[in-house]
Amino acid sequence: MTKISFVFGTRPEAIKMAPVIIGAKKERGLTPLVLLTGQHREILDSVLDLFKIRPKINLGVMRKNQTLSELTARIIKKLNPVLEIEKPNIVLVQGDTTTALVGALLAFYHQIPVGHIEAGLRSFDKFQPFPEEINRCMISQIADLHFAPTKDAAKNLLTGGIKKDQIFIVGNTVIDAINLIAKKVNIFSKKELNKLNLGKIMVLITTHRRENIGPPMENICRAILKLIKFNPELIFVLPMHPNPKVRETLKKYLDNNPNVHLIEPLDYPDFVLMMKKSYFILTDSGGVQEEAPSLGKPVLVLRETTERKEGIKAGTAIMVGTNQNKIFDTATKLIKNPRTYKKISLVKNPYGDGKSSQRIIEIIKYYFSNKK
Ligand code: UD1
Ligand code: UDP
């Protein structure tokens, strides 16, 4: 039996790991072991319930307003003895969070092979996104199996000196996840959401990135206010990330505005339905940039640079940064120009085909069959 451990702790990791865990559970020769750091709490728990993921352990490391150093230290201290006891044959980490970096590092210390899901994304800017760009570069130095979502990601790994036979282009598992959910959702699970006035044109917004906290997020809010001023028919739905610093800014600018629904984070199926109901999406999220094209929704990316360049190239996303006027002008074009809108909404999703998890499992099985 191959003991395959999934180390994760945040909402996006859970969503992107879930299809791989579900697949691994069905495999005879694999024993999946879910080890949670608990870097996130409420917004992680709802994903575990949704996909019926039962962790062996949850280290519960989250604290209010945690700093990167404290978080890193807590995960090292608490995860280390777990790996010592469990001795998995492989540790899988996903993406670029603190949990993913520490999971990979500790596996290396115990000389356990590491598989990196969503490997090879690069913005080539040390501080954007911060600290994720450097987290994923460091994970690439450690990993033995690199599961790249796209050709471009694989190219980045090759350029970075990773051996070709360790890189596998598999697509992004988030497409597997959204495919599992999107067809099933047509009413919100929470009653109050079904009562929300979504108007004729609803724009969905999410923002949480560390580098956007402060003046950039204030600019995003000002852009929303300006859009409302010139288009009073617009309705904005903004599920707020639980980070207190994010909430403070959003509430300061947008609370009690009749055109803005500032709401609690949505459970994944409700969020997918909200994406479906939106006209377009404003976001600094990584995952949302990848999911939106599956639903034919244009994305305006609230970042100065993105590692998800495939969407920009394919035309599913437009980078608008955090400049108030750029956001306003680009959103206005989308609203006023149905032909531009239609063109964007018909582009095929460049991030995957929904079969990534199965590919990852086959590769892991093959890796261990060669080792015997
Ligand atoms: C983390 C990841 C980021 C990812 C994001 C997804 C790192 C460095 N960053 O950032 O890459 O995009 O998750 O959402 O790993 N909080 C709660 N409840 C929760 C979750 C968070 O109250 O369920 C609050 C806490 O006060 C916490 C703060 O949010 O201290 C920040 O959480 P943290 O995981 O440190 O950073 P994120 O911004 O969520
Ligand atoms: N998401 C969700 N509820 C929300 C906001 C986002 O379920 O209220 C999902 C979204 O569909 C995507 C993931 O969470 O799959 C993205 O998480 P986030 O934006 O927090 O992190 P990132 O992808 O930027 O790391």
Side-chain angles (χ1 to χ4, degrees), residues 10-12 39-44 62-66 68 71 96-98 131-132 135 208-210 241-244:
T10 66
R11 170 175 64 193
Q39 177 177 337
H40 282 172
R41 193 173 296 152
E42 310 83 1
I43 62 174
L44 172 68
M62 198 201 85
R63 300 289 178 273
K64 198 174 169 191
N65 267 324
Q66 58 204 3
L68 292 172
L71 176 65
D96 48 26
T97 65
T98 299
E132 290 83 2
N135 284 356
H208 72 281
R209 299 239 82 80
R210 272 182 167 73
H241 189 282
N243 187 334

Side-chain angles (χ1 to χ4, degrees), residues 153-206:
K155 239 187 252 165
N156 291 337
L157 290 165
L158 279 173
T159 313
I162 306 298
K163 289 195 196 100
K164 200 175 171 192
D165 61 358
Q166 295 185 321
I167 303 170
F168 305 91
I169 302 171
V170 295
N172 198 309
T173 57
V174 80
I175 311 301
D176 307 21
I178 198 165
N179 285 356
L180 282 173
I181 301 300
K183 280 186 217 104
K184 293 186 201 158
V185 289
N186 42 48
I187 53 163
F188 292 112
S189 69
K190 299 230 163 45
K191 254 193 209 153
E192 61 273 22
L193 293 174
N194 290 308
K195 287 184 197 150
L196 275 188
N197 167 23
L198 301 180
K200 277 208 186 110
I201 301 185
M202 183 269 280
V203 181
L204 179 61
I205 312 169
T206 78

Side-chain angles (χ1 to χ4, degrees), residues 131-326:
E132 290 83 2
E133 174 71 4
I134 296 303
N135 284 356
R136 56 196 173 216
C137 289
M138 291 196 280
I139 298 171
S140 295
Q141 297 310 308
I142 297 172
D144 302 274
L145 299 173
H146 305 257
F147 301 112
T150 62
K151 274 189 198 158
D152 286 357
K155 239 187 252 165
N156 291 337
L157 290 165
L158 279 173
T159 313
I162 306 298
K163 289 195 196 100
K164 200 175 171 192
D165 61 358
Q166 295 185 321
I167 303 170
F168 305 91
I169 302 171
V170 295
N172 198 309
T173 57
V174 80
I175 311 301
D176 307 21
I178 198 165
N179 285 356
L180 282 173
I181 301 300
K183 280 186 217 104
K184 293 186 201 158
V185 289
N186 42 48
I187 53 163
F188 292 112
S189 69
K190 299 230 163 45
K191 254 193 209 153
E192 61 273 22
L193 293 174
N194 290 308
K195 287 184 197 150
L196 275 188
N197 167 23
L198 301 180
K200 277 208 186 110
I201 301 185
M202 183 269 280
V203 181
L204 179 61
I205 312 169
T206 78
T207 174
H208 72 281
R209 299 239 82 80
R210 272 182 167 73
E211 67 274 13
N212 276 350
I213 291 172
M217 209 170 277
E218 292 181 6
N219 286 339
I220 294 170
C221 293
R222 288 196 196 97
I224 295 167
L225 292 174
K226 190 170 170 192
L227 279 165
I228 293 170
K229 188 171 162 203
F230 287 90
N231 307 275
E233 76 285 8
L234 284 188
I235 296 288
F236 289 85
V237 173
L238 204 171
M240 287 182 289
H241 189 282
N243 187 334
K245 293 197 185 94
V246 171
R247 291 180 162 231
E248 198 186 314
T249 305
L250 297 178
K251 284 190 175 165
K252 182 171 153 204
Y253 284 84
L254 304 172
D255 217 3
N256 299 321
N257 187 312
N259 293 60
V260 183
H261 300 299
L262 270 187
I263 56 175
E264 288 307 309
L266 296 173
D267 292 348
Y268 189 52
D270 284 344
F271 187 76
V272 172
L273 183 55
M274 203 58 95
M275 283 198 278
K276 274 174 133 180
K277 287 183 184 280
S278 71
Y279 192 61
F280 63 92
I281 303 172
L282 287 172
T283 191
D284 62 13
S285 160
V288 176
Q289 288 177 63
E290 294 153 350
E291 292 166 335
S294 286
L295 307 172
K297 302 298 171 179
V299 171
L300 304 192
V301 182
L302 301 167
R303 298 195 198 178
E304 301 305 330
T305 171
T306 179
E307 58 290 329
R308 274 105 175 155
K309 295 184 177 67
E310 294 84 348
I312 310 278
K313 272 197 256 168
T316 62
I318 304 169
M319 199 138 66
V320 290
T322 54
N323 176 287
Q324 184 191 329
N325 291 329
K326 182 117 192 250

